[in-house]
Amino acid sequence: TIVTELFLLVLEPCNKRVKPVAKGTGLPGFKAPALKRLGQSIQRSISFRTETQPMSMPIRSRQKASSFPRRRSSQLWSDTVDNPSQALSAKEIKRQEVIIYELTQGEKQLIEDLNLVKKVYYEPMLKLEIMTESELGQIFGTLESLVPLHEDCLARLEGLRGSEKTVEAVGPTLLQWFPCLDAYITYCCNQVAAKALLDLKKQDRRVEQFLRLCQESSFSRKLDLWNFLDLPRSRLVKYPLLLKEIQKCTPQDHPDEEALPDALEMIQNIVAEVNSKTGEAECQFYRRGLCYPEEGQRVPEIQLSRFIYCHGELKSTKGQKLHVFLFELVLVLTRPVVTDKDGMLQFQVYRQPLPAAHLLLEDIPDGEPVSSGSFRGAFTGNDKVKNCFRVSSRGRSKAQSHGLQANDSFNKQQWISCLRQAMVQSRDREAQASQSGPSSRLSPDPDLYNIAELTINSDVDMQET
């Protein structure tokens, strides 16, 4: 059975004893317990601030905080230091905690996880023929090529540590290494298609069973395969935050003072480039998945759009499931369908797409009574609306009006924010074009690249006015 095969291939007994790390006597001027509490406080503070929203990846409805362990070790840098020759200030201790643990240990853990993914997911699924080599290649992308990059970074960082396990300057080393991260463009651009294929393959019983067994096993730390595949992207967006933390702890006239701002600017530019290219790849992926029952629905704004503000599932007032896309230049309502050819999810365009420059948006207050002809039959006995807004078109021969209901106020505000951004930028673009002719399109607010998908259960009124 797949259970027996899986355990024979990848699950080894974890009975190796780990020798505890000897703890030093602490730094001069600090009592050991106080120093440890300081280190723990710093560690928690850094960890909280380095959490970030995914770029160009799904943002789902609010959920309870994850119980997954964030680290496999709670050791502090200060635990490894034994009788240094000079006292260190609290600020310098914090600087070393960021460089040694958050930066160096983070590289080490990422390498371990990437190797784990190959050993317990890719190789067994290939050997057991749970997926084809082509399918696994699509899902895992260029993941394996990232391992040498981070091994190189780890070796560089460990080479900086002096005899007392401290790092003086890290900026020049990062300036030399960061250009390697251009490789993330290829990996992250593949993730949209990879996630779609993985979700499709999970419908296969053998795939679902294999992935479930892996997630339930101790080596996974309760993470699923996609969590592991998304670790490199999560690591990438942490670098700017880590550098900012190091900067805060770096005094004037420090050897790092000059190089850190340049390193921070470089990594921010790299993240922005990866973000932009990933957004374009996502837009192309979903554009290719659109099916047009009527040729007139192929409005030029769809093909001219370079990115997606947000998209998610909604329901019509009759309970019909729809998937709504807010592209750069147009709002498109669709019905999700599965094609007979290869089983991939496609989206059949529903009604006429609404150009963003012609949209009107109305925020409907909670508790407003249902008026005649609005949200008719949507609430099954309820006579008041909640978390609703309305979009309508102007400037076209056949006007449309669609009422939408989000499942909570948070997702409603996400949609409204995206819609307002799209409307303002589209109108600004049209105004510039009318004054000076064709011009380059405006780019979206970088923060909105983080809103790539809203998984929302909403009700939509599809009445045409």
Side-chain angles (χ1 to χ4, degrees):
T1 66
I2 189 172
V3 179
T4 305
E5 292 171 324
L6 171 62
F7 276 80
L8 287 176
L9 278 169
V10 301
L11 298 183
E12 300 175 355
C14 186
N15 53 12
K16 190 181 295 183
R17 291 184 178 274
V18 180
K19 183 178 179 180
V21 179
K23 298 192 176 186
T25 56
L27 302 177
F30 291 94
K31 293 183 179 180
L35 176 59
K36 185 170 183 179
R37 285 196 300 271
L38 173 62
Q40 289 171 337
S41 176
I42 291 169
Q43 195 178 86
R44 286 193 299 268
S45 174
I46 294 168
S47 296
F48 177 77
R49 285 193 294 270
T50 54
E51 292 298 324
T52 184
Q53 291 286 357
M55 58 179 182
S56 294
M57 296 302 293
I59 291 183
R60 304 195 179 278
S61 302
R62 282 182 170 174
Q63 299 175 350
K64 294 181 179 179
S66 172
S67 60
F68 298 154
R70 293 192 180 184
R71 296 197 181 94
R72 287 158 290 193
S73 170
S74 59
Q75 185 182 27
L76 304 172
W77 165 78
S78 53
D79 291 334
T80 70
V81 179
D82 225 350
N83 294 324
S85 59
Q86 58 182 355
L88 299 178
S89 66
K91 195 171 185 179
E92 181 60 25
I93 293 173
K94 181 175 181 179
R95 175 183 160 84
Q96 294 299 324
E97 293 287 4
V98 179
I99 297 174
I100 301 302
Y101 192 91
E102 293 293 336
L103 190 55
T104 307
Q105 292 300 108
E107 292 299 306
K108 187 176 297 184
Q109 291 179 2
L110 178 61
I111 293 166
E112 291 174 358
D113 283 333
L114 297 186
N115 288 326
L116 177 75
V117 168
K118 180 181 179 182
K119 178 182 178 183
V120 303
Y121 286 100
Y122 183 93
E123 292 178 353
M125 284 194 287
L126 181 62
K127 187 170 184 179
L128 299 175
E129 298 182 348
I130 292 175
M131 290 193 209
T132 67
E133 187 173 2
S134 175
E135 291 169 338
L136 290 171
Q138 176 68 65
I139 292 172
F140 288 81
T142 57
L143 185 72
E144 190 173 358
S145 69
L146 303 181
V147 176
L149 301 182
H150 291 280
E151 288 176 336
D152 178 42
C153 179
L154 179 61
R156 292 175 187 237
L157 292 173
E158 290 182 334
L160 295 177
R161 300 183 71 172
S163 58
E164 295 184 350
K165 299 183 179 180
T166 59
V167 174
E168 185 175 17
V170 72
T173 297
L174 294 178
L175 268 173
Q176 294 175 357
W177 180 73
F178 277 155
C180 299
L181 295 177
D182 284 343
Y184 269 72
I185 294 176
T186 301
Y187 181 74
C188 291
C189 285
N190 179 67
Q191 281 194 297
V192 177
K195 182 65 163 61
L197 179 57
L198 179 60
D199 289 343
L200 178 66
K201 295 303 295 183
K202 284 180 180 179
Q203 299 174 23
D204 184 300
R205 186 187 62 81
R206 294 187 78 225
V207 174
E208 187 278 331
Q209 186 181 20
F210 178 91
L211 296 179
R212 178 169 48 80
L213 286 170
C214 288
Q215 187 171 355
E216 292 172 352
S217 301
S218 59
F219 65 77
S220 75
R221 309 193 306 281
K222 297 185 178 179
L223 301 175
D224 64 18
L225 174 57
W226 185 252
N227 291 136
F228 282 109
L229 294 177
D230 196 42
L231 286 175
R233 184 207 55 78
S234 299
R235 181 66 181 169
L236 177 67
V237 298
K238 278 191 176 182
Y239 288 122
L241 302 174
L242 290 171
L243 259 64
K244 288 178 182 178
E245 288 293 330
I246 297 173
Q247 265 193 309
K248 290 178 183 177
C249 307
T250 301
Q252 292 183 349
D253 302 323
H254 190 280
D256 247 356
E257 185 184 18
E258 191 172 326
L260 280 176
D262 293 337
L264 178 59
E265 182 180 5
M266 178 182 290
I267 190 60
Q268 287 175 329
N269 289 338
I270 291 172
V271 171
E273 177 71 6
V274 172
N275 215 0
S276 175
K277 296 295 185 183
T278 303
E280 292 177 8
E282 180 190 36
C283 186
Q284 292 172 7
F285 176 80
Y286 285 113
R287 278 206 314 251
R288 290 195 299 267
L290 295 179
C291 304
Y292 301 90
E294 300 176 12
E295 192 60 30
Q297 294 173 330
R298 295 179 181 270
V299 297
E301 288 88 350
I302 295 177
Q303 292 303 316
L304 291 174
S305 292
R306 299 168 303 171
F307 58 86
I308 298 176
Y309 284 106
C310 58
H311 64 98
E313 185 181 284
L314 305 116
K315 292 180 181 178
S316 71
T317 55
K318 298 178 181 179
Q320 183 182 36
K321 287 185 178 181
L322 302 172
H323 200 97
V324 179
F325 294 91
L326 179 57
F327 290 96
E328 178 189 15
L329 303 174
V330 62
L331 182 69
V332 183
L333 282 67
T334 72
R335 294 177 175 136
V337 296
V338 177
T339 62
D340 296 331
K341 183 179 179 181
D342 53 14
M344 290 298 292
L345 185 65
Q346 301 263 303
F347 301 91
Q348 185 182 73
V349 175
Y350 181 72
R351 299 295 177 91
Q352 190 69 16
L354 308 177
H358 302 156
L359 278 177
L360 297 174
L361 174 64
E362 177 188 359
D363 186 350
I364 302 175
D366 288 351
E368 180 175 295
V370 179
S371 59
S372 176
S374 298
F375 299 98
R376 186 170 56 246
F379 305 107
T380 318
N382 295 334
D383 59 353
K384 295 183 183 298
V385 299
K386 189 176 183 181
N387 303 320
C388 297
F389 58 95
R390 185 185 303 281
V391 290
S392 54
S393 66
R394 63 181 178 86
R396 290 292 171 101
S397 58
K398 193 174 183 181
Q400 297 183 68
S401 178
H402 306 290
L404 301 94
Q405 183 187 31
N407 68 333
D408 58 42
S409 59
F410 173 75
N411 285 322
K412 172 186 173 180
Q413 291 306 316
Q414 291 274 35
W415 273 102
I416 288 178
S417 175
C418 291
L419 285 163
R420 285 174 175 166
Q421 184 77 6
M423 291 161 59
V424 168
Q425 293 197 347
S426 293
R427 290 169 188 173
D428 286 347
R429 186 181 299 105
E430 282 201 347
Q432 289 181 7
S434 63
Q435 293 175 3
S436 57
S439 61
S440 59
R441 294 193 298 272
L442 303 177
S443 297
D445 184 337
D447 291 339
L448 288 177
Y449 271 125
N450 294 335
I451 308 175
E453 179 179 328
L454 303 174
T455 303
I456 302 175
N457 294 318
S458 307
D459 287 323
V460 184
D461 178 25
M462 292 301 162
Q463 294 184 6
E464 294 186 358
T465 59

